[in-house]
Amino acid sequence: MKTLPCWFMRGGTSKGPFFLAADLPKEIAERDRIILSVMGSPDERQIDGLGGATTLTSKVGILSLADDTLADINFLFAQVSLADSIVDTTPNCGNMLAAAGPAALEAGLITAQGDQTVIRIRTLNTNMIAEVTLQTPGGKPAYTGAARIDGVPGTSAPVLLNFLDTAGSVCGSLLPTGQLCDVIDGIRVTCIDNGMPVIIVAAEDMGISGYETKEQLNADTKLAAHIERLRLQAGAMMGIKDLANKSVPKISMVARPQKGGTLCTRTFIPRTCHAAIGVLGAVTVATAAVLPGSVAHDLADLPGGNEQYLSIEHPSGELSVFLKLSTTGDVEQAALMRTARLIMRGEALIP
Ligand code: NQM
């Protein structure tokens, strides 16, 4: 058996093993063969690996030291397919990003700066830099505290994510079709990428209320087929290639807020409904909400002002996104809070 040092982390509402790039093969096909074996893919149950048999628990983080002064560490996120031998490193994952700092400290890649540590992390997926603030009392990442996020039981230490350059992460521009709103098969859509390529559509236009449970939506095979048709068309208009093998764009179906928040969402990532909403998915939906003329703007109950906390409602609660707008109404900065935890450390074994 080959042995691979491994830190199994929860980051926000996702979890998965973290590895050091130096411990993995450089050759991508060989690297992916090892990742698939560790996770137990392809297999919907991932019975022969560490994967948790859902998209949110079939994720991997790969860490290395940055070789420039803009970042401290590099983080490559990999979405591992359950059904196929696919390791997709196209998009970012803001949830796994929340675990990248603690994992880098645990692995000894970097050291803490005091009771609080600020790390600049480059996501190699899209070459985006985030400034991440961790609690590190006694030089170690804290996993206890009063911070609470919907979708995770209990409380923990906060991990603050400050995104510095998210626009056009995968697609190259914030509005990849050049429009705030397009019409596909008679349905108004907003195609947008502020950290995650997302197609935003009014839930009502997809024949749902937008307040259904994740289980109800996942059982709706007609809706799934409609979403995939829309995704293939909108994805091509967004310039994304090889859509069948990609985990982007996601589709967020939006409705008026139901629980005092800004906007209600049900997000497919992209073939099953998210139990909550992805971090950068939420940043992207929040960004659309502040842009007059977008599908999201029409349904949003906006707090207003140049610095806004937008509460993005989702099936298991809400995710608050802080947006700073320029005087011309462009989104200049996005930030939010997550929590993370080291669950296990040891060695993954590969036959
Ligand atoms: O959008 C799910 C998640 C994600 C990605 C997904 C994420 C993000 O909840 O930044 O966090 O949309 O596939 O981990």
Side-chain angles (χ1 to χ4, degrees):
M1 300 272 238
K2 178 178 166 49
T3 59
L4 194 57
C6 167
W7 293 262
F8 196 90
M9 309 287 301
R10 175 182 65 76
T13 50
S14 288
K15 64 180 173 179
F18 276 73
F19 303 111
L20 295 179
D23 293 330
L24 285 165
K26 293 229 168 342
E27 210 255 313
I28 290 178
E30 181 56 9
R31 179 201 72 190
D32 288 355
R33 188 192 71 75
I34 287 176
I35 289 177
L36 289 162
S37 166
V38 169
M39 297 302 277
S41 279
D43 169 25
E44 294 289 345
R45 300 164 308 148
Q46 293 184 319
I47 195 70
D48 200 27
L50 287 176
T54 71
T55 50
L56 299 182
T57 53
S58 187
K59 302 189 168 204
V60 170
I62 301 171
L63 299 172
S64 54
L65 271 181
D67 49 15
D68 61 16
T69 52
L70 294 177
D72 301 307
I73 58 169
N74 290 334
F75 162 57
L76 180 70
F77 161 66
Q79 179 72 54
V80 182
S81 169
L82 304 181
D84 302 294
S85 297
I86 297 173
V87 177
D88 187 4
T89 57
T90 311
N92 299 311
C93 175
N95 275 306
M96 289 292 274
L97 173 68
L105 287 164
E106 295 288 353
L109 206 54
I110 49 170
T111 50
Q113 296 153 356
D115 286 351
Q116 187 167 294
T117 299
V118 181
I119 308 170
R120 288 192 155 222
I121 304 179
R122 173 184 291 107
T123 62
L124 292 179
N125 304 78
T126 66
N127 202 22
M128 168 190 88
I129 293 184
E131 194 181 71
V132 178
T133 306
L134 304 174
Q135 302 308 307
T136 48
K140 292 206 161 27
Y143 300 116
T144 55
R148 203 188 68 78
I149 58 172
D150 283 335
V152 179
T155 62
S156 186
V159 176
L160 302 178
L161 306 180
N162 184 19
F163 295 108
L164 302 180
D165 53 350
T166 42
S169 66
V170 171
C171 303
S173 65
L174 181 70
L175 299 169
T177 69
Q179 316 233 62
L180 267 163
C181 194
D182 295 278
V183 178
I184 299 177
D185 286 347
I187 293 182
R188 290 177 70 234
V189 299
T190 289
C191 299
I192 180 164
D193 173 4
N194 198 21
M196 182 67 72
V198 183
I199 304 157
I200 301 175
V201 55
E204 198 173 54
D205 288 347
M206 299 296 284
I208 62 168
S209 70
Y211 309 119
E212 290 82 358
T213 62
K214 175 186 83 146
E215 289 75 19
Q216 283 168 334
L217 294 177
N218 280 336
D220 190 339
T221 48
K222 242 175 81 188
L223 177 71
H226 192 180
I227 286 177
E228 188 61 5
R229 272 200 312 279
L230 202 58
R231 192 182 79 87
L232 293 177
Q233 288 187 69
M237 286 163 61
M238 294 167 89
I240 301 173
K241 307 245 161 14
D242 190 23
L243 283 159
N245 292 328
K246 291 275 162 70
S247 54
V248 287
K250 321 284 185 190
I251 298 218
S252 200
M253 296 176 287
V254 297
R256 288 213 167 275
Q258 207 186 22
K259 298 188 179 139
T262 306
L263 188 67
C264 184
T265 60
R266 295 292 182 267
T267 306
F268 273 60
I269 54 169
R271 294 171 194 92
T272 52
C273 183
H274 201 305
I277 185 169
V279 167
L280 287 152
V283 167
T284 299
V285 170
T287 301
V290 298
L291 297 178
S294 79
V295 171
H297 185 80
D298 296 347
L299 295 165
D301 197 353
L302 290 165
N306 279 357
E307 299 196 350
Q308 308 190 5
Y309 278 94
L310 287 87
S311 166
I312 305 300
E313 298 178 358
H314 56 64
S316 49
E318 68 87 48
L319 199 158
S320 289
V321 178
F322 169 80
L323 291 185
K324 189 170 170 198
L325 310 189
S326 70
T327 44
T328 52
D330 296 325
V331 172
E332 275 182 340
Q333 186 206 342
L336 48 79
M337 189 198 73
R338 300 273 84 191
T339 63
R341 177 189 160 197
L342 173 68
I343 298 171
M344 188 261 2
R345 63 177 167 233
E347 285 173 340
L349 300 167
I350 300 112

